[in-house]
Amino acid sequence: MAEVVLIDLFGLQLNSQKSCHQTLLKTLNAVQYHHGAKAKFLCIMCCSNISCDHHNCELETSNGLSTILREFETVSNPSLAASLYTIKQKIDEKNLSSIKVIVPVHRKMLMKAFIDQLFTDVYNFEFEDLQMTLRGGPLKQSSDIITAQELEAIQNEIETYLRSLPALKGELTIITSPLISDIFIHGFTTRTGGISYIPTLSSFNLFSSSKRRDPKVVVQENLRRLGNAAGFNWKKFYRIKTDHANDVWIMGRKEPESYDGITTNQRGVTIAALGADCIPIVFADPVKKACGVAHSGWRGTLLGVAMATVNAMIAEYGCSLEDIIVVLGPSVGPCCFTLPRESAKAFHNLHPGCVRLFDSPNPYVDIRKATRILLEQGGILPQNIQDQNQELNLCTSCHPDKFFSHVRDGLNFGTQIGFISIRE
């Protein structure tokens, strides 16, 4: 049974169509009869030039529409993108996911195309035809295929709307390191200044997946704003494809299916490591003009992903250990991160200072200290490693106002990044 029932009246000229009113009344009564008791959200979507406000309704109400309309929430906007995004917000506020869309036959493929852009696999949709007869006969069914030109128009409408939305939770903030030369553009993001509105993803979430409610178009808009603020081309942007291991993709070679490190010496290309408790690490060699990023969780730390990235820079670009700068972005601290004792044992073997309360069933582990130790053992100069400063050293779990955290927020967590590029 659907939790949400959405009736699409967008674009239908209802004001002068009494036959439409009769069909609509039957549809609303049927929805109320079949879904009213169990559905948690009944909604009508229409264009803003067809007001359905119950206090000033342009729809004729003498035929009984007025009474039944009170059972439905009406969303009225000038664009379909704005209407669907507003409805998505209302659905997400109620934490619902099963949605029935009652849509005129001629608009079904269009509606599906918009939904594909604005929703993720978290949501389940079913569609039912709304048969509307207008003057001149029934509406002609559209093609079963959305053309490339139509899809581009849909994407442009969505992008235009998302660009108009205000930033949430404050201004966009980028944390940088004084150790990295100005020939690079780099930084670490926080959670402020984006448009993601779901509490655990709000507001500057930079990763979308089938398991989260933030669609790719929202993450793309956040990325566009980051590119504009930092000064890089957001259309030439590559994220790590995390596997919690130590594989490194050297740009220019065949891209692996998954990897936790990237290196490049290409100008104008931005690479990024994800982080939401795991450490996003940025590498820069101002001499050879090469850079890298790595995603280092506890498994990747033990597998040596940081030094694997360093070694890739040395092998591919001729970098020297003494020239490579390494900056560790915000991550979970030893105050909040625990592992089962068997897993923590490897950190204790690396250095006892990496583990606190080792004799407990779930000792506290310092993945930042372990990363520094492994980098120094690999030959990176201690003064070329930045892992301590007022902002970079903040625990992601302890600071919900600044950072996303898997440890704190659970499965539907947001993601910040560390990024770097070589200026063109």
Side-chain angles (χ1 to χ4, degrees):
M1 181 66 69
E3 299 171 311
V4 177
V5 179
L6 167 62
I7 302 174
D8 171 33
L9 304 182
F10 198 93
L12 293 180
Q13 300 299 317
L14 296 175
N15 293 339
S16 60
Q17 305 293 337
K18 292 186 178 181
S19 60
C20 277
H21 292 189
Q22 294 170 359
T23 302
L24 178 59
L25 180 59
K26 290 180 181 178
T27 300
L28 296 181
N29 280 325
V31 169
Q32 177 64 18
Y33 177 78
H34 291 291
H35 300 280
K38 294 185 178 180
K40 299 177 182 179
F41 183 44
L42 303 177
C43 181
I44 295 173
M45 179 177 69
C46 59
C47 187
S48 58
N49 62 10
I50 307 176
S51 173
C52 294
D53 182 80
H54 305 320
H55 301 292
N56 183 27
C57 189
E58 293 181 19
L59 289 172
E60 293 184 25
T61 56
S62 59
N63 56 7
L65 276 176
S66 179
T67 301
I68 191 66
L69 280 172
R70 294 192 184 98
E71 304 298 323
F72 292 77
E73 184 165 343
T74 300
V75 173
S76 177
N77 281 297
S79 75
L80 184 53
S83 292
L84 276 175
Y85 194 75
T86 301
I87 290 167
K88 182 180 183 299
Q89 288 177 302
K90 294 177 182 294
I91 290 171
D92 289 335
E93 285 173 5
K94 301 174 186 294
N95 198 32
L96 306 176
S97 58
S98 178
I99 305 162
K100 170 175 276 192
V101 182
I102 302 175
V103 55
V105 178
H106 74 292
R107 286 173 53 82
K108 184 183 292 186
M109 295 310 297
L110 177 70
M111 180 65 71
K112 286 183 176 180
F114 269 92
I115 286 171
D116 285 345
Q117 295 288 315
L118 288 170
F119 292 81
T120 70
D121 290 346
V122 169
Y123 309 85
N124 298 308
F125 284 90
E126 59 177 307
F127 294 85
E128 181 179 309
D129 293 343
L130 174 61
Q131 301 290 347
M132 302 295 284
T133 302
L134 301 181
R135 291 177 183 174
L139 287 166
K140 183 179 179 181
Q141 184 167 355
S142 64
S143 169
D144 289 338
I145 299 174
I146 294 291
T147 67
Q149 185 176 5
E150 289 170 331
L151 181 59
E152 183 179 0
I154 290 168
Q155 292 170 337
N156 287 339
E157 180 180 325
I158 292 172
E159 289 171 7
T160 299
Y161 173 69
L162 295 180
R163 290 183 183 190
S164 73
L165 297 177
L168 304 175
K169 286 186 175 289
E171 296 182 355
L172 195 161
T173 302
I174 302 171
I175 304 170
T176 59
S177 167
L179 291 186
I180 294 184
S181 165
D182 285 342
I183 69 170
F184 300 98
I185 298 171
H186 82 285
F188 299 90
T189 61
T190 69
R191 69 179 302 169
T192 62
I195 63 169
S196 303
Y197 58 81
I198 294 167
T200 56
L201 304 178
S202 180
S203 67
F204 207 70
N205 175 42
L206 287 167
F207 183 69
S208 176
S209 78
S210 60
K211 298 178 181 179
R212 303 185 193 181
R213 289 177 177 259
D214 245 4
K216 289 181 180 179
V217 288
V218 168
V219 171
Q220 179 177 290
E221 173 56 19
N222 286 341
L223 177 61
R224 186 193 69 84
R225 296 185 185 201
L226 175 62
N228 289 346
F232 65 77
N233 183 351
W234 63 275
K235 293 183 178 180
K236 294 182 178 180
F237 179 86
Y238 298 86
R239 295 179 187 86
I240 277 169
K241 295 182 179 179
T242 302
D243 191 38
H244 294 277
N246 61 359
D247 290 333
V248 179
W249 176 36
I250 298 170
M251 289 195 71
R253 296 189 182 183
K254 183 179 179 181
E255 183 180 2
E257 289 186 6
S258 61
Y259 45 91
D260 286 84
I262 310 176
T263 66
T264 188
N265 63 352
Q266 299 178 28
R267 294 179 181 272
V269 171
T270 301
I271 55 178
L274 310 176
D277 295 330
C278 298
I279 314 170
I281 308 176
V282 167
F283 306 80
D285 180 351
V287 178
K288 293 296 184 180
K289 296 182 175 59
C291 59
V293 293
H295 161 268
S296 187
W298 72 267
R299 290 184 179 88
T301 298
L302 291 176
L303 290 171
V305 67
M307 277 308 301
T309 307
V310 168
N311 290 332
M313 293 174 66
I314 292 170
E316 189 69 14
Y317 315 120
C319 298
S320 298
L321 281 169
E322 60 268 22
D323 296 327
I324 296 176
I325 305 296
V326 185
V327 181
L328 279 61
S331 68
V332 68
C335 49
C336 295
F337 184 59
T338 63
L339 285 173
R341 192 169 185 274
E342 278 302 307
S343 299
K345 188 180 296 184
F347 286 92
H348 190 267
N349 292 340
L350 176 64
H351 192 286
C354 294
V355 181
R356 183 165 57 89
L357 303 179
F358 179 62
D359 292 331
S360 67
N362 295 285
Y364 289 86
V365 174
D366 190 339
I367 58 174
R368 298 178 71 82
K369 181 186 288 291
T371 299
R372 171 177 274 276
I373 290 170
L374 290 168
L375 285 167
E376 290 184 7
Q377 287 179 353
I380 298 295
L381 299 178
Q383 64 269 28
N384 285 351
I385 304 170
Q386 183 168 19
D387 57 351
Q388 303 284 336
N389 82 3
Q390 189 172 2
E391 292 180 300
L392 291 176
N393 197 43
L394 293 176
C395 171
T396 48
S397 182
C398 285
H399 293 84
D401 57 325
K402 293 182 180 293
F403 302 113
F404 300 112
S405 170
H406 182 198
V407 169
R408 183 189 64 236
D409 297 332
L411 291 177
N412 197 35
F413 60 94
T415 301
Q416 52 257 343
I417 63 169
F419 64 90
I420 190 167
S421 64
I422 307 166
R423 294 185 189 272
E424 293 187 278

